[in-house]
Amino acid sequence: MTQQISTGFRTYLNDGTANDTIGHFKLNADFLRSYAGTKPKFGFNGLGEFVFYRTYSRVKKDGAKETFLDMAIRVIEGCYEIQRLHCKKFHIPFDLDKAQKSAQEMFQRMWEFKFLPPGRGLWMMGTDFMWEKGSASLNNCAFVSTDDKIEADPAEPFCFLMDMSLLGVGVGFDTKGAGKVRIKRPDDIIKPYMISDSREGWVDSVRSLIHSFTTTNNEGSLEFDYSLIRPANAIIKGFGGKAAGPGILQELHELIKNHLTRRIGSTLSSVDITDIMNYIGRCVVAGNVRRTAEIAFGNADDFAYSSMKNPIATLNKDEVGKFYECTQKIYSSMRSEATLEDFNGSGIPEERLVPAIETWNALNHHRWASNNSVFANVGMNYDKIGEQIAANGEPGLIWLDNIRDYGRMIDGRQPGIDGRVMGTNPCCEQSLESYELCCLCETFPANHENVDDYMRTLKFAYLYAKTVTLLPTHNARTNHVMLRNRRIGLSQSGIVQAFAKFGRRKMLTEFCDAGFQEIKRWDSIYADWLCIQKSIKVTSVKPSGSVSLLAGATPGIHYPEAGTYWRTVRVAKDSVLVKILSDAGYRIEPSITDKDRTVVVYFGVTDERVQAVDEAGIWQQMANATDYQRYWADNQVSCTIKFKQNEAKEISKVLEVYEDQTKGISFLPHTGHNYPQAPYIPCTKEEVDEYNKGIRDADYSEFINEALGSKFCDGDSCELS
């Protein structure tokens, strides 16, 4: 079992050698008074404000929901309190007046959407949960390798993923532990097991279950008692949101138990590892307030792994159309599981049909929980991978040697500069060692007046991310890596907007190249003051998600779906949000897929400064990604390149041309979202302008005790839905 450190993190930072005469850091009351009763300029014609209340507004102790002002105060004061206590613990000078001025400027730059902490930080920074449980919940993402001592503890990689996922952290994993753990039949003994009502209790139950099929099989089978687990919809006071009840945990236990029983006598395969991780992801997603993000990494020549999401791998070419014709009928009947009877009359032989059905069912049941990618090598043949990507958008690729031997590409090869890296987070923007977590902070260059303004913002975005590294997590192995590396990721969103505003050349040289040097300068200054290591890497480009919507920025380095479009959002029919948005004049209609429980809200968005994604080919998108890998990101650039059908044949060529200039990339077919109530529906500027004339400011004062909790994942797979 992974060693857990003490959970008294405020006590950990406060060494108790003297009375604390200052008390918790607070922003100046006169400063805050000028913001009372106001709100920032949210992005995208009301969408940004809606996203804030739906996703990041916590319930306060008095029962009211946070305004953006409340949230910003909590975040800024929590950040500077971590600094204060760190200095107190190590007897380092802390100038309260200087800190107050610094905190006020950080607040102002958040308020003006020049930068924002990650969604994790907006939700958790400054909360009691952070002080009690540590900094894991403040971090975006993590990675764990199954090659990391899995023989000694076969359950640990799975439990790490589950633990961090339940805290909202996206987790990557590899399949390098395949063939190292043998599955054994538990002895014919029943061993009662009472599950405690906590995150730790859930994780430990999975640990014990996996052990019962591996290291402790001689102790017999476990009989779980779920009676202590709180019922569904009970309020979770610490983390926030509502409990899911014991049912989803019971289902997870059954899935793992049945899977391992089928594999008794065999060793864990790459498919087994991925499936068990996906069962866990499915459980976390079903937990009502939480979303999880997973990415799996396997070998490019592992056919069993690479075909996990390809149900047609066993079919002949003339059978593929018949297979999809049948599955479309299953979808239209709102089912997610197929049977042999569904394919009566298809003429597909059973020996090829059965594995195709099993793969299709698994994909719809749990294999959707991870993006599956492969380790690539410079010089390899990309033809087969290009064909797979053209068929279903996977796998993505990372070049691990490039990650280990390069920071920014412009700085040249530096062998072993990050030599312990084993993989990346789910969106591939962070280089990560096994058990390492990372904190990313998002900047919005297009929301600045000039380069000097942006350089000033970089100081505070850096300071927020670096501050998170001062507070340990609850996991000792994670702390061993994080406190050594102090890895952070300052990101940019609205990049294509900034290209349009400042010019591409100026962005790459003055904002990116010079900006990177400015961050490194601040890293030297603050590492010296705080008596800690410089960060091993400091910059990246995350794909972004709901955070960029608050600021009115396009996500990361990606192009928008259109210059003018309807952005649809699904909301529970009985939510008070429906009345609030209806009173403000928004178009609301029943969801065509769930008329009884869900409605769809339309937001009209216009941003004609930038190209739409269907106007930017795969070569242009790849050039943007590699230029940002060259001039900005010493970690990685997360970029999902959207390709049109006539560009599919170019994928292998793109990979061959850019393999030594990038660290990771993924592709996705551009479907055009040409179906009813799609997330993005292109329309005319005149339509949006006329629509927005009838929209009034939404009054969210009624939105009490409706906190859904942050979805936390900032990737394309976890977009606002």
Side-chain angles (χ1 to χ4, degrees):
M1 180 176 176
T2 295
Q3 180 185 357
Q4 308 286 307
I5 69 172
S6 169
T7 57
F9 289 96
R10 194 190 298 272
T11 302
Y12 164 81
L13 286 178
N14 189 342
D15 66 4
T17 57
N19 291 330
D20 195 341
T21 57
I22 298 176
H24 194 294
F25 180 89
K26 297 288 184 184
L27 282 161
N28 181 276
D30 289 335
F31 169 79
L32 293 176
R33 232 172 253 119
S34 63
Y35 290 90
T38 67
K39 63 182 180 182
K41 188 178 179 181
F42 288 102
F44 294 137
N45 299 324
L47 177 59
E49 185 175 18
F50 165 78
V51 169
F52 166 73
Y53 279 104
R54 182 182 189 246
T55 312
Y56 301 118
S57 173
R58 296 181 67 91
V59 177
K60 298 186 293 185
K61 292 180 180 179
D62 64 1
K65 290 293 299 296
E66 289 179 328
T67 63
F68 190 90
L69 175 60
D70 295 325
M71 180 276 294
I73 293 170
R74 166 173 56 77
V75 168
I76 299 298
E77 292 182 346
C79 179
Y80 281 80
E81 177 68 356
I82 292 174
Q83 297 171 32
R84 186 184 75 83
L85 290 179
H86 172 86
C87 292
K88 185 173 187 295
K89 177 180 178 64
F90 294 103
H91 300 273
I92 300 169
F94 183 82
D95 187 325
L96 190 59
D97 290 336
K98 188 175 180 180
Q100 181 66 221
K101 293 177 182 177
S102 174
Q104 289 180 19
E105 187 170 357
M106 181 184 281
F107 178 98
Q108 288 170 328
R109 290 183 179 271
M110 270 187 63
W111 188 267
E112 295 166 358
F113 293 126
K114 294 182 175 179
F115 93 97
L116 284 174
R120 307 310 331 284
L122 299 181
W123 181 250
M124 295 304 298
M125 175 58 83
T127 63
D128 290 342
F129 186 92
M130 174 193 85
W131 292 117
E132 294 166 4
K133 302 294 185 179
S135 67
S137 62
L138 298 176
N139 285 277
N140 305 62
C141 43
F143 177 82
V144 63
S145 175
T146 58
D147 194 30
D148 191 351
K149 301 179 182 178
I150 194 172
E151 302 97 327
D153 187 348
E156 183 53 32
F158 302 100
C159 291
F160 177 83
L161 179 138
M162 184 175 184
D163 184 30
M164 294 302 169
S165 295
L166 286 169
L167 287 169
V169 181
V171 186
F173 63 92
D174 63 27
T175 60
K176 292 182 177 180
K180 295 188 175 184
V181 176
R182 184 162 296 279
I183 309 304
K184 307 171 187 176
R185 185 181 302 279
D187 285 357
D188 193 18
I189 307 168
I190 300 299
K191 183 178 179 181
Y193 188 106
M194 177 68 73
I195 304 171
S196 64
D197 185 28
S198 64
R199 183 188 82 257
E200 296 86 351
W202 284 39
V203 173
D204 284 340
S205 71
V206 169
R207 186 189 313 278
S208 297
L209 178 58
I210 294 175
H211 283 169
S212 72
F213 281 87
T214 53
T215 59
T216 64
N217 66 300
N218 60 324
E219 297 179 14
S221 299
L222 300 178
E223 184 178 82
F224 290 113
D225 187 332
Y226 303 89
S227 60
L228 294 182
I229 298 177
R230 75 193 79 182
N233 296 318
I235 298 297
I236 301 174
K237 294 182 179 179
F239 188 79
K242 299 177 181 179
I248 60 168
L249 179 61
Q250 188 172 1
E251 181 182 37
L252 174 62
H253 290 155
E254 289 300 314
L255 288 169
I256 295 175
K257 180 180 178 180
N258 292 339
H259 189 113
L260 294 178
T261 298
R262 293 193 302 270
R263 299 286 292 153
I264 287 173
S266 304
T267 57
L268 272 180
S269 68
S270 58
V271 173
D272 296 327
I273 290 170
T274 308
D275 272 337
I276 294 172
M277 294 293 196
N278 289 171
Y279 295 148
I280 293 170
R282 184 179 188 271
C283 171
V284 174
V285 169
N288 190 26
V289 302
R290 307 179 182 95
R291 290 281 294 267
T292 187
E294 294 181 3
I295 192 168
F297 293 105
N299 295 327
D301 58 357
D302 184 346
F303 176 77
Y305 167 80
S306 63
S307 61
M308 284 183 70
K309 292 189 177 183
N310 185 6
I312 63 174
T314 60
L315 305 181
N316 292 334
K317 288 185 178 180
D318 62 334
E319 297 166 345
V320 173
K322 299 173 184 177
F323 182 83
Y324 279 133
E325 183 180 341
C326 294
T327 55
Q328 281 299 112
K329 292 179 181 178
I330 298 169
Y331 268 132
S332 64
S333 64
M334 301 296 289
R335 287 192 292 130
S336 59
E337 186 171 353
T339 65
L340 273 173
E341 288 72 26
D342 292 312
F343 296 84
N344 286 340
S346 68
I348 304 174
E350 194 168 313
E351 65 270 18
R352 293 198 292 273
L353 183 57
V354 168
I357 292 174
E358 289 176 350
T359 302
W360 193 85
N361 286 344
L363 178 58
N364 287 284
H365 179 266
H366 61 275
R367 286 182 179 171
W368 50 263
S370 66
N371 295 321
N372 291 358
S373 298
V374 297
F375 294 111
N377 299 296
V378 172
M380 68 182 284
N381 186 298
Y382 298 102
D383 290 345
K384 186 65 176 177
I385 286 178
E387 292 174 4
Q388 292 174 322
I389 292 171
N392 62 7
E394 289 192 359
L397 303 92
I398 65 166
W399 289 264
L400 196 56
D401 287 342
N402 289 354
I403 293 173
R404 289 171 171 170
D405 292 344
Y406 288 87
R408 297 186 308 158
M409 289 300 182
I410 196 174
D411 298 322
R413 185 169 181 265
Q414 305 168 71
I417 188 177
D418 207 357
R420 294 187 176 105
V421 166
M422 297 293 286
T424 79
N425 64 308
C427 297
C428 290
E429 70 267 25
Q430 288 299 99
S431 319
L432 293 170
E433 297 182 28
S434 187
Y435 292 93
E436 187 174 14
L437 273 64
C438 62
C439 176
L440 289 82
C441 205
E442 207 159 343
T443 65
F444 308 102
N447 288 356
H448 290 75
E449 293 301 316
N450 50 47
V451 172
D452 291 340
D453 189 20
Y454 184 65
M455 293 297 161
R456 189 65 183 169
T457 289
L458 288 177
K459 170 185 176 179
F460 296 97
Y462 161 82
L463 182 55
Y464 175 89
K466 192 75 170 188
T467 298
V468 171
T469 74
L470 302 178
L471 187 66
T473 76
H474 62 285
N475 188 300
R477 291 189 67 177
T478 293
N479 293 336
H480 182 253
V481 180
M482 290 184 65
L483 299 181
R484 167 167 44 83
N485 287 345
R486 305 277 179 179
R487 187 189 309 273
I488 60 174
L490 299 197
S491 179
Q492 294 183 12
S493 267
I495 290 172
V496 293
Q497 293 169 327
F499 283 168
K501 181 174 183 177
F502 298 111
R504 195 173 189 279
R505 182 180 299 159
K506 185 170 185 175
M507 277 299 302
L508 294 175
T509 57
E510 298 184 32
F511 282 77
C512 293
D513 192 13
F516 178 83
Q517 303 303 335
E518 179 72 356
I519 295 165
K520 297 291 282 187
R521 185 177 76 86
W522 283 115
D523 196 31
S524 294
I525 292 171
Y526 278 98
D528 182 64
W529 168 47
L530 296 167
C531 300
I532 58 176
Q533 296 90 335
K534 296 177 186 177
S535 295
I536 191 169
K537 287 179 178 174
V538 296
T539 48
S540 53
V541 176
K542 60 187 264 193
S544 194
S546 54
V547 171
S548 62
L549 296 177
L550 270 64
T554 51
I557 202 167
H558 298 108
Y559 290 88
E561 291 295 320
T564 306
Y565 55 89
W566 301 114
R567 182 64 165 99
T568 64
V569 179
R570 278 148 182 80
V571 183
K573 185 177 181 179
D574 59 356
S575 171
V576 68
L577 285 170
V578 176
K579 181 179 184 302
I580 291 171
L581 295 172
S582 177
D583 289 346
Y586 287 95
R587 172 184 168 190
I588 300 175
E589 61 188 29
S591 168
I592 59 176
T593 58
D594 188 9
K595 295 180 180 179
D596 294 332
R597 295 182 300 176
T598 307
V599 297
V600 175
V601 183
Y602 285 74
F603 292 87
V605 178
T606 300
D607 192 347
E608 295 185 317
R609 296 172 293 175
V610 298
Q611 283 180 282
V613 68
D614 61 356
E615 299 171 0
I618 61 173
W619 290 96
Q620 181 178 342
Q621 294 174 65
M622 191 70 179
N624 288 345
T626 53
D627 278 345
Y628 258 73
Q629 190 69 74
R630 179 173 178 79
Y631 291 103
W632 174 258
D634 58 355
N635 286 289
Q636 283 97 251
V637 175
S638 176
C639 181
T640 299
I641 292 177
K642 292 192 175 180
F643 62 92
K644 295 183 280 290
Q645 194 57 46
N646 64 349
E647 295 177 310
K649 62 183 181 297
E650 300 290 312
I651 293 172
S652 61
K653 298 175 186 176
V654 170
L655 293 171
E656 184 176 344
V657 168
Y658 286 106
E659 62 179 354
D660 59 350
Q661 302 175 54
T662 189
K663 299 180 181 181
I665 200 71
S666 61
F667 295 82
L668 192 68
H670 181 57
T671 61
H673 297 286
N674 54 352
Y675 56 90
Q677 298 180 343
Y680 299 90
I681 304 173
C683 61
T684 67
K685 183 178 185 299
E686 289 73 23
E687 287 178 293
V688 167
D689 288 346
E690 186 63 28
Y691 176 78
N692 286 332
K693 286 179 183 177
I695 300 298
R696 298 171 293 280
D697 282 348
D699 180 4
Y700 288 96
S701 60
E702 296 180 37
F703 190 40
I704 304 298
N705 293 324
E706 284 273 329
L708 297 179
S710 171
K711 294 184 178 181
F712 301 136
C713 170
D714 287 327
D716 287 347
S717 62
C718 293
E719 287 181 336
L720 188 71
S721 59

